[in-house]
Every structure is written in structure tokens, then in C-alpha cells.
Amino acid sequence: MAAWRSLTKKHEFHEVYEHGAKKVGRLLVVYLLPADDMARAVVASKKVGNAVKRNRAKRLLREAFREVFHDGDRGLPDGRPEHAMGILKRLPRDSGSETGDPGAVKGLWVVLVARRNILEAGSREVREELD
């Protein structure tokens, strides 16, 4: 399985927000974009709350990400989870590789954005929603 790096550059976030698949839930928003490598980011804006609340929200998201995306039983041989591949198949054909085939994509960029309701949830609820 490929190692996950952190998304850090502004243009990377812009690319994911503009061209990625978006799924909105009660506790979080997930953005997925086919890419050449495996990268992830966890975001909690000031709308979530003060620094303590934002840090808790990000901790919950990182833990859920680790459990869902790194679980060997649910992952594909190359490390991409099956439910993420289902979303990738629904992306526009010009996204990802030159062929437009999600199966030909080498990696995945994932951005998890916390919503205010995440503070009222436990780690199990966050993991279930992400799954």
C-alpha cells in the first residue's frame, strides 16, 4: 500500500475542491479526487468552534480516516478503499487519468472537512459516516 502524504499547498486544495467528488454528511464533508499519489488533509474551520473544539474535530476525523482507509480487510490491493472507488467511477470522464478510467488512476487525494455537528458525535459515529 502506498504511503499517504499530507496535502499542504493551496493549489492542491483548490484542485480537490474544484474537480473532486463531494459527499456531504451530517458530521463531515468528503472530497475525493483521482491523482498520481496518495494524499489526505483534515480541515476544521473556525465555524466549528474555538481551537480546542477544532482540534477535537480534527482528531476524530484523522482517527476515522485511519480506520477506514488503512483497514487491510476493506482496502483494495493498491490501498484504495472500495467505497472510494465507487465514487471515483461517478466522476466526470476528464478527471483523473488521460483515459478517464478511474481504474487507471494511481492514487487518490482525500480532504475531510469537519462540520459543527461533529462535536456532538463520538468516534464510532464519525467512522460510520465516513465509511
mmCIF file of all heavy atoms in Angstrom, residues 56-95:
data_model
loop_
_atom_site.group_PDB
_atom_site.id
_atom_site.type_symbol
_atom_site.label_atom_id
_atom_site.label_comp_id
_atom_site.label_asym_id
_atom_site.label_seq_id
_atom_site.Cartn_x
_atom_site.Cartn_y
_atom_site.Cartn_z
ATOM 1 N N ARG A 56 -10.259 18.803 18.487
ATOM 2 C CA ARG A 56 -11.013 17.573 18.747
ATOM 3 C C ARG A 56 -11.655 17.063 17.454
ATOM 4 O O ARG A 56 -11.614 15.862 17.159
ATOM 5 C CB ARG A 56 -12.102 17.792 19.798
ATOM 6 C CG ARG A 56 -12.890 16.511 20.070
ATOM 7 C CD ARG A 56 -13.908 16.677 21.191
ATOM 8 N NE ARG A 56 -14.481 15.394 21.520
ATOM 9 C CZ ARG A 56 -15.515 14.852 20.864
ATOM 10 N NH1 ARG A 56 -16.077 15.482 19.861
ATOM 11 N NH2 ARG A 56 -15.995 13.666 21.215
ATOM 12 N N ALA A 57 -12.233 17.978 16.682
ATOM 13 C CA ALA A 57 -12.861 17.593 15.421
ATOM 14 C C ALA A 57 -11.829 16.965 14.476
ATOM 15 O O ALA A 57 -12.090 15.932 13.857
ATOM 16 C CB ALA A 57 -13.507 18.815 14.771
ATOM 17 N N LYS A 58 -10.660 17.574 14.384
ATOM 18 C CA LYS A 58 -9.622 17.032 13.501
ATOM 19 C C LYS A 58 -9.109 15.688 14.007
ATOM 20 O O LYS A 58 -8.836 14.786 13.215
ATOM 21 C CB LYS A 58 -8.474 18.031 13.355
ATOM 22 C CG LYS A 58 -8.885 19.259 12.546
ATOM 23 C CD LYS A 58 -7.727 20.164 12.234
ATOM 24 C CE LYS A 58 -7.252 20.890 13.463
ATOM 25 N NZ LYS A 58 -6.223 21.915 13.148
ATOM 26 N N ARG A 59 -9.003 15.533 15.320
ATOM 27 C CA ARG A 59 -8.590 14.246 15.880
ATOM 28 C C ARG A 59 -9.586 13.156 15.509
ATOM 29 O O ARG A 59 -9.209 12.041 15.133
ATOM 30 C CB ARG A 59 -8.486 14.374 17.410
ATOM 31 C CG ARG A 59 -7.189 13.929 17.973
ATOM 32 C CD ARG A 59 -7.040 14.043 19.469
ATOM 33 N NE ARG A 59 -8.163 14.469 20.268
ATOM 34 C CZ ARG A 59 -8.308 15.710 20.760
ATOM 35 N NH1 ARG A 59 -7.421 16.638 20.516
ATOM 36 N NH2 ARG A 59 -9.343 16.014 21.501
ATOM 37 N N LEU A 60 -10.873 13.452 15.638
ATOM 38 C CA LEU A 60 -11.910 12.484 15.275
ATOM 39 C C LEU A 60 -11.826 12.113 13.794
ATOM 40 O O LEU A 60 -11.943 10.937 13.427
ATOM 41 C CB LEU A 60 -13.299 13.051 15.586
ATOM 42 C CG LEU A 60 -13.698 13.125 17.053
ATOM 43 C CD1 LEU A 60 -14.943 13.981 17.222
ATOM 44 C CD2 LEU A 60 -13.915 11.739 17.624
ATOM 45 N N LEU A 61 -11.614 13.104 12.937
ATOM 46 C CA LEU A 61 -11.516 12.836 11.503
ATOM 47 C C LEU A 61 -10.282 12.015 11.162
ATOM 48 O O LEU A 61 -10.352 11.087 10.352
ATOM 49 C CB LEU A 61 -11.498 14.150 10.718
ATOM 50 C CG LEU A 61 -12.815 14.907 10.651
ATOM 51 C CD1 LEU A 61 -12.626 16.236 9.931
ATOM 52 C CD2 LEU A 61 -13.884 14.082 9.975
ATOM 53 N N ARG A 62 -9.131 12.338 11.780
ATOM 54 C CA ARG A 62 -7.910 11.574 11.498
ATOM 55 C C ARG A 62 -8.052 10.123 11.927
ATOM 56 O O ARG A 62 -7.631 9.208 11.219
ATOM 57 C CB ARG A 62 -6.707 12.221 12.193
ATOM 58 C CG ARG A 62 -6.144 13.401 11.441
ATOM 59 C CD ARG A 62 -4.811 13.830 12.005
ATOM 60 N NE ARG A 62 -4.888 14.289 13.374
ATOM 61 C CZ ARG A 62 -5.060 15.555 13.736
ATOM 62 N NH1 ARG A 62 -5.151 16.502 12.827
ATOM 63 N NH2 ARG A 62 -5.123 15.882 15.009
ATOM 64 N N GLU A 63 -8.676 9.900 13.079
ATOM 65 C CA GLU A 63 -8.867 8.534 13.565
ATOM 66 C C GLU A 63 -9.811 7.761 12.637
ATOM 67 O O GLU A 63 -9.548 6.615 12.287
ATOM 68 C CB GLU A 63 -9.423 8.551 14.992
ATOM 69 C CG GLU A 63 -9.721 7.182 15.561
ATOM 70 C CD GLU A 63 -8.495 6.303 15.724
ATOM 71 O OE1 GLU A 63 -7.366 6.819 15.722
ATOM 72 O OE2 GLU A 63 -8.679 5.071 15.863
ATOM 73 N N ALA A 64 -10.902 8.387 12.225
ATOM 74 C CA ALA A 64 -11.836 7.729 11.316
ATOM 75 C C ALA A 64 -11.157 7.443 9.979
ATOM 76 O O ALA A 64 -11.317 6.358 9.412
ATOM 77 C CB ALA A 64 -13.067 8.609 11.105
ATOM 78 N N PHE A 65 -10.373 8.377 9.484
ATOM 79 C CA PHE A 65 -9.650 8.175 8.231
ATOM 80 C C PHE A 65 -8.702 6.986 8.345
ATOM 81 O O PHE A 65 -8.652 6.131 7.469
ATOM 82 C CB PHE A 65 -8.865 9.433 7.861
ATOM 83 C CG PHE A 65 -8.059 9.279 6.614
ATOM 84 C CD1 PHE A 65 -8.635 9.528 5.383
ATOM 85 C CD2 PHE A 65 -6.741 8.872 6.659
ATOM 86 C CE1 PHE A 65 -7.906 9.374 4.221
ATOM 87 C CE2 PHE A 65 -6.000 8.712 5.507
ATOM 88 C CZ PHE A 65 -6.589 8.967 4.290
ATOM 89 N N ARG A 66 -7.961 6.934 9.435
ATOM 90 C CA ARG A 66 -7.002 5.843 9.632
ATOM 91 C C ARG A 66 -7.711 4.497 9.638
ATOM 92 O O ARG A 66 -7.266 3.545 9.002
ATOM 93 C CB ARG A 66 -6.233 6.041 10.948
ATOM 94 C CG ARG A 66 -5.142 4.998 11.161
ATOM 95 C CD ARG A 66 -4.535 5.094 12.544
ATOM 96 N NE ARG A 66 -5.487 4.813 13.606
ATOM 97 C CZ ARG A 66 -5.927 3.588 13.938
ATOM 98 N NH1 ARG A 66 -5.499 2.549 13.270
ATOM 99 N NH2 ARG A 66 -6.779 3.423 14.919
ATOM 100 N N GLU A 67 -8.840 4.416 10.325
ATOM 101 C CA GLU A 67 -9.552 3.146 10.417
ATOM 102 C C GLU A 67 -10.210 2.743 9.100
ATOM 103 O O GLU A 67 -10.198 1.574 8.730
ATOM 104 C CB GLU A 67 -10.591 3.217 11.530
ATOM 105 C CG GLU A 67 -9.958 3.276 12.910
ATOM 106 C CD GLU A 67 -10.988 3.365 14.020
ATOM 107 O OE1 GLU A 67 -12.196 3.216 13.730
ATOM 108 O OE2 GLU A 67 -10.578 3.580 15.165
ATOM 109 N N VAL A 68 -10.776 3.697 8.379
ATOM 110 C CA VAL A 68 -11.496 3.372 7.147
ATOM 111 C C VAL A 68 -10.542 3.160 5.978
ATOM 112 O O VAL A 68 -10.670 2.195 5.239
ATOM 113 C CB VAL A 68 -12.524 4.480 6.813
ATOM 114 C CG1 VAL A 68 -13.113 4.271 5.427
ATOM 115 C CG2 VAL A 68 -13.624 4.492 7.860
ATOM 116 N N PHE A 69 -9.563 4.039 5.806
ATOM 117 C CA PHE A 69 -8.712 3.977 4.627
ATOM 118 C C PHE A 69 -7.495 3.078 4.789
ATOM 119 O O PHE A 69 -6.837 2.762 3.822
ATOM 120 C CB PHE A 69 -8.256 5.383 4.223
ATOM 121 C CG PHE A 69 -9.319 6.150 3.499
ATOM 122 C CD1 PHE A 69 -10.353 6.750 4.190
ATOM 123 C CD2 PHE A 69 -9.296 6.256 2.135
ATOM 124 C CE1 PHE A 69 -11.333 7.455 3.529
ATOM 125 C CE2 PHE A 69 -10.276 6.955 1.450
ATOM 126 C CZ PHE A 69 -11.298 7.549 2.163
ATOM 127 N N HIS A 70 -7.173 2.655 5.989
ATOM 128 C CA HIS A 70 -5.992 1.807 6.177
ATOM 129 C C HIS A 70 -6.324 0.404 6.644
ATOM 130 O O HIS A 70 -5.442 -0.360 6.971
ATOM 131 C CB HIS A 70 -5.023 2.440 7.180
ATOM 132 C CG HIS A 70 -4.404 3.688 6.667
ATOM 133 N ND1 HIS A 70 -3.935 4.650 7.495
ATOM 134 C CD2 HIS A 70 -4.170 4.137 5.415
ATOM 135 C CE1 HIS A 70 -3.439 5.638 6.781
ATOM 136 N NE2 HIS A 70 -3.581 5.352 5.519
ATOM 137 N N ASP A 71 -7.595 0.066 6.683
ATOM 138 C CA ASP A 71 -8.008 -1.256 7.120
ATOM 139 C C ASP A 71 -7.735 -2.255 6.001
ATOM 140 O O ASP A 71 -8.308 -2.176 4.928
ATOM 141 C CB ASP A 71 -9.500 -1.251 7.478
ATOM 142 C CG ASP A 71 -9.943 -2.525 8.140
ATOM 143 O OD1 ASP A 71 -9.270 -3.558 7.956
ATOM 144 O OD2 ASP A 71 -10.953 -2.505 8.841
ATOM 145 N N GLY A 72 -6.870 -3.216 6.232
ATOM 146 C CA GLY A 72 -6.472 -4.181 5.221
ATOM 147 C C GLY A 72 -7.626 -5.022 4.712
ATOM 148 O O GLY A 72 -7.638 -5.446 3.572
ATOM 149 N N ASP A 73 -8.630 -5.300 5.549
ATOM 150 C CA ASP A 73 -9.747 -6.128 5.114
ATOM 151 C C ASP A 73 -10.623 -5.415 4.090
ATOM 152 O O ASP A 73 -11.212 -6.034 3.231
ATOM 153 C CB ASP A 73 -10.622 -6.530 6.306
ATOM 154 C CG ASP A 73 -9.884 -7.448 7.255
ATOM 155 O OD1 ASP A 73 -8.907 -8.083 6.810
ATOM 156 O OD2 ASP A 73 -10.264 -7.517 8.425
ATOM 157 N N ARG A 74 -10.723 -4.075 4.207
ATOM 158 C CA ARG A 74 -11.608 -3.342 3.320
ATOM 159 C C ARG A 74 -10.881 -2.709 2.152
ATOM 160 O O ARG A 74 -11.496 -2.243 1.221
ATOM 161 C CB ARG A 74 -12.338 -2.249 4.098
ATOM 162 C CG ARG A 74 -13.390 -2.824 5.002
ATOM 163 C CD ARG A 74 -14.155 -1.726 5.623
ATOM 164 N NE ARG A 74 -13.505 -1.376 6.872
ATOM 165 C CZ ARG A 74 -13.961 -0.511 7.729
ATOM 166 N NH1 ARG A 74 -15.049 0.141 7.472
ATOM 167 N NH2 ARG A 74 -13.329 -0.265 8.847
ATOM 168 N N GLY A 75 -9.559 -2.646 2.203
ATOM 169 C CA GLY A 75 -8.816 -1.972 1.155
ATOM 170 C C GLY A 75 -8.591 -2.839 -0.055
ATOM 171 O O GLY A 75 -8.632 -4.054 0.002
ATOM 172 N N LEU A 76 -8.391 -2.194 -1.177
ATOM 173 C CA LEU A 76 -8.012 -2.890 -2.394
ATOM 174 C C LEU A 76 -6.511 -3.164 -2.352
ATOM 175 O O LEU A 76 -5.798 -2.570 -1.557
ATOM 176 C CB LEU A 76 -8.367 -2.031 -3.610
ATOM 177 C CG LEU A 76 -9.857 -1.752 -3.790
ATOM 178 C CD1 LEU A 76 -10.072 -0.796 -4.954
ATOM 179 C CD2 LEU A 76 -10.625 -3.029 -4.024
ATOM 180 N N PRO A 77 -5.992 -4.042 -3.207
ATOM 181 C CA PRO A 77 -4.561 -4.370 -3.169
ATOM 182 C C PRO A 77 -3.644 -3.155 -3.251
ATOM 183 O O PRO A 77 -2.594 -3.136 -2.650
ATOM 184 C CB PRO A 77 -4.377 -5.275 -4.393
ATOM 185 C CG PRO A 77 -5.721 -5.860 -4.631
ATOM 186 C CD PRO A 77 -6.712 -4.833 -4.184
ATOM 187 N N ASP A 78 -4.060 -2.108 -3.987
ATOM 188 C CA ASP A 78 -3.201 -0.941 -4.097
ATOM 189 C C ASP A 78 -3.492 0.097 -3.019
ATOM 190 O O ASP A 78 -2.965 1.196 -3.065
ATOM 191 C CB ASP A 78 -3.318 -0.306 -5.478
ATOM 192 C CG ASP A 78 -4.713 0.185 -5.774
ATOM 193 O OD1 ASP A 78 -5.639 -0.131 -5.020
ATOM 194 O OD2 ASP A 78 -4.868 0.899 -6.768
ATOM 195 N N GLY A 79 -4.350 -0.213 -2.056
ATOM 196 C CA GLY A 79 -4.577 0.661 -0.920
ATOM 197 C C GLY A 79 -5.769 1.585 -1.047
ATOM 198 O O GLY A 79 -6.046 2.344 -0.142
ATOM 199 N N ARG A 80 -6.501 1.533 -2.162
ATOM 200 C CA ARG A 80 -7.670 2.395 -2.298
ATOM 201 C C ARG A 80 -8.902 1.641 -1.822
ATOM 202 O O ARG A 80 -9.180 0.550 -2.298
ATOM 203 C CB ARG A 80 -7.855 2.835 -3.743
ATOM 204 C CG ARG A 80 -6.792 3.826 -4.160
ATOM 205 C CD ARG A 80 -6.950 4.171 -5.587
ATOM 206 N NE ARG A 80 -6.613 2.989 -6.369
ATOM 207 C CZ ARG A 80 -6.762 2.899 -7.674
ATOM 208 N NH1 ARG A 80 -7.254 3.890 -8.345
ATOM 209 N NH2 ARG A 80 -6.421 1.802 -8.312
ATOM 210 N N PRO A 81 -9.680 2.205 -0.909
ATOM 211 C CA PRO A 81 -10.865 1.512 -0.414
ATOM 212 C C PRO A 81 -11.943 1.402 -1.485
ATOM 213 O O PRO A 81 -12.059 2.247 -2.365
ATOM 214 C CB PRO A 81 -11.327 2.375 0.754
ATOM 215 C CG PRO A 81 -10.740 3.702 0.488
ATOM 216 C CD PRO A 81 -9.473 3.493 -0.283
ATOM 217 N N GLU A 82 -12.739 0.347 -1.387
ATOM 218 C CA GLU A 82 -13.756 0.070 -2.399
ATOM 219 C C GLU A 82 -14.803 1.169 -2.491
ATOM 220 O O GLU A 82 -15.232 1.527 -3.579
ATOM 221 C CB GLU A 82 -14.428 -1.268 -2.087
ATOM 222 C CG GLU A 82 -13.484 -2.431 -2.257
ATOM 223 C CD GLU A 82 -14.090 -3.736 -1.786
ATOM 224 O OE1 GLU A 82 -15.293 -3.768 -1.467
ATOM 225 O OE2 GLU A 82 -13.362 -4.730 -1.733
ATOM 226 N N HIS A 83 -15.233 1.736 -1.349
ATOM 227 C CA HIS A 83 -16.271 2.762 -1.414
ATOM 228 C C HIS A 83 -15.749 4.028 -2.080
ATOM 229 O O HIS A 83 -16.485 4.708 -2.769
ATOM 230 C CB HIS A 83 -16.830 3.063 -0.027
ATOM 231 C CG HIS A 83 -15.828 3.568 0.941
ATOM 232 N ND1 HIS A 83 -14.953 2.753 1.607
ATOM 233 C CD2 HIS A 83 -15.542 4.820 1.341
ATOM 234 C CE1 HIS A 83 -14.181 3.473 2.388
ATOM 235 N NE2 HIS A 83 -14.503 4.725 2.245
ATOM 236 N N ALA A 84 -14.477 4.330 -1.944
ATOM 237 C CA ALA A 84 -13.893 5.485 -2.637
ATOM 238 C C ALA A 84 -13.876 5.224 -4.135
ATOM 239 O O ALA A 84 -14.120 6.121 -4.938
ATOM 240 C CB ALA A 84 -12.487 5.761 -2.122
ATOM 241 N N MET A 85 -13.606 3.991 -4.542
ATOM 242 C CA MET A 85 -13.588 3.658 -5.958
ATOM 243 C C MET A 85 -14.980 3.818 -6.559
ATOM 244 O O MET A 85 -15.124 4.225 -7.711
ATOM 245 C CB MET A 85 -13.071 2.239 -6.173
ATOM 246 C CG MET A 85 -11.596 2.080 -5.887
ATOM 247 S SD MET A 85 -10.581 3.231 -6.829
ATOM 248 C CE MET A 85 -10.890 2.645 -8.477
ATOM 249 N N GLY A 86 -16.018 3.521 -5.791
ATOM 250 C CA GLY A 86 -17.370 3.715 -6.293
ATOM 251 C C GLY A 86 -17.656 5.169 -6.603
ATOM 252 O O GLY A 86 -18.284 5.493 -7.614
ATOM 253 N N ILE A 87 -17.179 6.072 -5.760
ATOM 254 C CA ILE A 87 -17.351 7.499 -6.016
ATOM 255 C C ILE A 87 -16.519 7.921 -7.212
ATOM 256 O O ILE A 87 -16.956 8.699 -8.054
ATOM 257 C CB ILE A 87 -16.996 8.324 -4.767
ATOM 258 C CG1 ILE A 87 -18.023 8.042 -3.671
ATOM 259 C CG2 ILE A 87 -16.947 9.809 -5.089
ATOM 260 C CD1 ILE A 87 -17.715 8.675 -2.349
ATOM 261 N N LEU A 88 -15.307 7.385 -7.330
ATOM 262 C CA LEU A 88 -14.430 7.754 -8.446
ATOM 263 C C LEU A 88 -15.045 7.383 -9.781
ATOM 264 O O LEU A 88 -14.863 8.071 -10.774
ATOM 265 C CB LEU A 88 -13.064 7.084 -8.300
ATOM 266 C CG LEU A 88 -12.187 7.618 -7.183
ATOM 267 C CD1 LEU A 88 -10.892 6.815 -7.127
ATOM 268 C CD2 LEU A 88 -11.891 9.077 -7.363
ATOM 269 N N LYS A 89 -15.801 6.282 -9.831
ATOM 270 C CA LYS A 89 -16.419 5.863 -11.088
ATOM 271 C C LYS A 89 -17.468 6.865 -11.556
ATOM 272 O O LYS A 89 -17.782 6.929 -12.737
ATOM 273 C CB LYS A 89 -17.043 4.479 -10.924
ATOM 274 C CG LYS A 89 -16.009 3.388 -10.805
ATOM 275 C CD LYS A 89 -16.657 2.041 -10.581
ATOM 276 C CE LYS A 89 -15.566 1.000 -10.372
ATOM 277 N NZ LYS A 89 -16.138 -0.286 -9.983
ATOM 278 N N ARG A 90 -18.017 7.661 -10.621
ATOM 279 C CA ARG A 90 -19.035 8.642 -10.973
ATOM 280 C C ARG A 90 -18.453 10.010 -11.318
ATOM 281 O O ARG A 90 -19.190 10.926 -11.649
ATOM 282 C CB ARG A 90 -20.033 8.766 -9.827
ATOM 283 C CG ARG A 90 -20.848 7.504 -9.621
ATOM 284 C CD ARG A 90 -22.014 7.730 -8.691
ATOM 285 N NE ARG A 90 -21.647 8.198 -7.385
ATOM 286 C CZ ARG A 90 -21.415 7.412 -6.333
ATOM 287 N NH1 ARG A 90 -21.488 6.108 -6.468
ATOM 288 N NH2 ARG A 90 -21.110 7.920 -5.162
ATOM 289 N N LEU A 91 -17.128 10.159 -11.253
ATOM 290 C CA LEU A 91 -16.509 11.432 -11.619
ATOM 291 C C LEU A 91 -16.610 11.661 -13.117
ATOM 292 O O LEU A 91 -16.712 10.703 -13.892
ATOM 293 C CB LEU A 91 -15.028 11.432 -11.212
ATOM 294 C CG LEU A 91 -14.732 11.581 -9.732
ATOM 295 C CD1 LEU A 91 -13.238 11.438 -9.495
ATOM 296 C CD2 LEU A 91 -15.217 12.902 -9.198
ATOM 297 N N PRO A 92 -16.566 12.925 -13.542
ATOM 298 C CA PRO A 92 -16.566 13.187 -14.991
ATOM 299 C C PRO A 92 -15.412 12.471 -15.672
ATOM 300 O O PRO A 92 -14.352 12.278 -15.084
ATOM 301 C CB PRO A 92 -16.385 14.706 -15.066
ATOM 302 C CG PRO A 92 -16.821 15.219 -13.741
ATOM 303 C CD PRO A 92 -16.547 14.124 -12.757
ATOM 304 N N ARG A 93 -15.592 12.080 -16.911
ATOM 305 C CA ARG A 93 -14.611 11.270 -17.638
ATOM 306 C C ARG A 93 -13.278 11.980 -17.811
ATOM 307 O O ARG A 93 -12.274 11.341 -18.019
ATOM 308 C CB ARG A 93 -15.165 10.871 -19.007
ATOM 309 C CG ARG A 93 -16.398 10.014 -18.915
ATOM 310 C CD ARG A 93 -16.172 8.812 -18.052
ATOM 311 N NE ARG A 93 -15.833 7.674 -18.881
ATOM 312 C CZ ARG A 93 -15.361 6.554 -18.407
ATOM 313 N NH1 ARG A 93 -15.163 6.410 -17.118
ATOM 314 N NH2 ARG A 93 -15.064 5.557 -19.188
ATOM 315 N N ASP A 94 -13.238 13.320 -17.775
ATOM 316 C CA ASP A 94 -11.974 14.010 -17.972
ATOM 317 C C ASP A 94 -11.171 14.131 -16.684
ATOM 318 O O ASP A 94 -10.057 14.608 -16.693
ATOM 319 C CB ASP A 94 -12.184 15.393 -18.592
ATOM 320 C CG ASP A 94 -13.043 16.297 -17.725
ATOM 321 O OD1 ASP A 94 -13.692 15.790 -16.790
ATOM 322 O OD2 ASP A 94 -13.075 17.506 -18.002
ATOM 323 N N SER A 95 -11.722 13.680 -15.559
ATOM 324 C CA SER A 95 -10.994 13.732 -14.285
ATOM 325 C C SER A 95 -10.020 12.566 -14.198
ATOM 326 O O SER A 95 -10.250 11.508 -14.756
ATOM 327 C CB SER A 95 -11.963 13.633 -13.107
ATOM 328 O OG SER A 95 -12.795 14.752 -13.084
#
